[in-house]
Amino acid sequence: MTIKIGISACVLGEPVRFDGGHKASGFCLQQLKPLVQYIAVCPEQAIGLGVPRPAIRLQRDSAMQIRLVQSRDPAIDHTAKMLSYTEKLLPELAVLSGYVVCAKSPSCGMERVRLYDDAGQQLGKIGVGIYTRQLMQHYPWLPVEEDGRLLDPTIKENFITRIFACHDYQQQMQGGFTVAKLVQFHSRYKFLVMAHSPVAYRELGRLVASAKLFTPADLSERYLTDLMHALKNIASRQQHANVLQHLQGFLKKSLNRAEKLELTDLIHRYRQGFLPLMAPLTLLNHHLRQFPNQYVAAQRYLNPYPEQLGLRA
C-alpha cells in the first residue's frame, strides 16, 4: 500500500502563496516523492482566498481567542471559514502517515508563527497555524514537520523514521486491531524505540503487557500516539551505542574474540564521535548475514526506512 503524505501545496511547488509564489522543497520533490503519494492542500485557497491575495496573520483578540485576519484590515476575519473547512477535511486525512507543512504560515505553520494583538502589536513568534493546530489536535499521533526544518539532516532523518513507522503500524492493523498484531509489531520496534527513548521503551512494554485493561480502539490509538511521541526524540550517540551493544549480544556465541573486539571498538569509537553510525551498523549487518537471527533480522532499527534515502549516511 502506498504511503500517503499530506503536504502544503506550495511546498510541492504550486504557485498558491499570497504573492503568487511557492516554497518548493527539493527533498520532498526529488528524494521523497518516488516513495510516497502526496495529498496536497492549500487551506487558504480552499476557503476561497485568491492568488495573489492580501496577506493574513494570526491575531489574539481581547477574549484571548486566536483569529485568522487580513493583515491590513483585521475586520476581515477568515477564522470561521478556516475552522469549518478543516473540520470537514479532517476525516479524509485519517489515511495519512505524515504531513509536511509550510513554515511560518498563519494557516499551516507548525510552530513559531508570528502572533499579533488586536492593536496590531507583535506578541512574538509563539503561534501555530490555525489549520495545522486543528490537524495536530485531531491526530496527535501523526508525524508533522515543516519544510524549512527538513533542511536539518537530523530532523529530516527523524521525521522520515516516524513516517515509515507510522505507515508500518497502519499496515499491520489493516483488517482490524488485535493484541496479537500489536505484540508482533512491538517486538519489531523495541530497539528502535530504545534508541530514541529508553523511558518510552519501558513504558510501551508495560502498555502492551497490560493490553487487556483497554478497549481495542483505545489501546490502538494510545500505543501509536505514545510510539510517535517516543520516536520524535532525537536518538543520541549514547543511545544508539546502547542499542548496538544489545544487538551485539545476540552474536556473542557466534563471533570469535577478534571479531567481538573489532565490533566493540567500532561501537565505542562511534559513541565518542569519531565514526558515523554506518560504521558499526555495517559491520553488525555483515556478521548478522553470516550468523542469521530471525528476531534480530526483523528489527526495524536496522532498516527504519528505504536505504535509497541515504539518511543515516
Side-chain angles (χ1 to χ4, degrees):
M1 183 179 175
T2 304
I3 300 177
K4 294 182 179 179
I5 304 296
I7 190 167
S8 293
C10 60
V11 176
L12 273 186
E14 297 182 20
V16 294
R17 285 175 57 79
F18 75 98
D19 58 1
H22 61 76
K23 290 187 67 179
S25 163
F27 173 71
C28 292
L29 285 169
Q30 296 164 22
Q31 291 176 266
L32 190 56
K33 188 176 181 180
L35 301 173
V36 304
Q37 176 186 340
Y38 287 124
I39 307 298
V41 179
C42 175
E44 294 175 20
Q45 193 176 42
I47 65 171
L49 302 183
V51 179
R53 55 183 174 272
I56 56 177
R57 71 187 185 198
L58 293 181
Q59 182 169 296
R60 192 169 69 190
D61 62 22
S62 57
M64 305 300 285
Q65 298 297 309
I66 307 300
R67 318 296 299 177
L68 186 65
V69 302
Q70 192 177 115
S71 296
R72 291 187 178 180
D73 185 1
I76 301 177
D77 191 327
H78 304 293
T79 311
K81 279 187 177 180
M82 183 62 75
L83 292 177
S84 176
Y85 166 73
T86 305
E87 184 179 0
K88 291 177 181 177
L89 179 66
L90 282 174
E92 300 177 24
L93 304 182
V95 298
L96 299 182
S97 303
Y99 208 116
V100 182
V101 296
C102 178
K104 303 178 183 179
S105 164
S107 58
C108 295
M110 183 186 77
E111 62 180 21
R112 295 178 56 78
V113 179
R114 285 189 175 89
L115 179 64
Y116 297 80
D117 63 18
D118 53 9
Q121 297 299 309
Q122 188 176 157
L123 299 173
K125 297 178 181 179
I126 56 175
V128 176
I130 285 188
Y131 171 82
T132 299
R133 184 181 65 198
Q134 298 297 106
L135 173 72
M136 294 191 298
Q137 288 176 352
H138 193 80
Y139 296 113
W141 47 264
L142 183 68
V144 178
E145 194 50 86
E146 292 184 335
D147 60 317
R149 282 167 50 89
L150 291 177
L151 296 173
D152 182 303
T154 301
I155 292 175
K156 181 195 302 179
E157 196 267 347
N158 179 274
F159 178 56
I160 297 303
T161 296
R162 287 184 283 140
I163 282 178
F164 279 87
C166 183
H167 178 69
D168 195 2
Y169 184 83
Q170 292 165 329
Q171 287 292 97
Q172 180 83 17
M173 300 306 164
Q174 279 237 318
F177 172 90
T178 67
V179 174
K181 288 181 181 179
L182 179 63
V183 170
Q184 186 182 52
F185 178 90
H186 183 67
S187 176
R188 292 189 289 114
Y189 274 82
K190 282 184 176 181
F191 289 110
L192 184 61
V193 173
M194 182 188 291
H196 287 263
S197 174
V199 173
Y201 167 79
R202 294 188 292 271
E203 291 176 346
L204 282 170
R206 287 193 289 267
L207 179 63
V208 173
S210 59
K212 293 181 179 180
L213 300 178
F214 302 88
T215 66
D218 286 345
L219 179 59
S220 179
E221 182 161 345
R222 177 169 174 178
Y223 180 89
L224 180 57
T225 300
D226 289 355
L227 173 69
M228 291 296 107
H229 286 170
L231 296 182
K232 194 172 184 179
N233 294 298
I234 301 297
S236 68
R237 281 181 177 266
Q238 176 69 31
Q239 290 164 337
H240 273 301
N242 181 46
V243 170
L244 291 168
Q245 288 176 323
H246 273 81
L247 293 174
Q248 182 183 20
F250 289 90
L251 294 166
K252 62 183 179 181
K253 295 182 180 179
S254 303
L255 304 183
N256 60 39
R257 185 172 183 275
E259 290 170 331
K260 290 176 184 177
L261 287 174
E262 180 185 25
L263 182 53
T264 298
D265 180 60
L266 282 184
I267 294 172
H268 181 61
R269 289 165 65 196
Y270 161 72
R271 188 201 308 266
Q272 291 181 310
F274 297 124
L275 294 174
L277 180 60
M278 287 305 296
L281 266 180
T282 299
L283 183 58
L284 179 64
N285 280 316
H286 166 74
H287 290 316
L288 288 171
R289 285 192 294 271
Q290 285 187 309
F291 308 104
N293 181 295
Q294 188 174 358
Y295 174 73
V296 176
Q299 292 303 313
R300 293 297 290 180
Y301 174 81
L302 298 173
N303 299 287
Y305 41 73
E307 187 179 48
Q308 67 198 75
L309 287 169
L311 298 177
R312 276 182 167 173

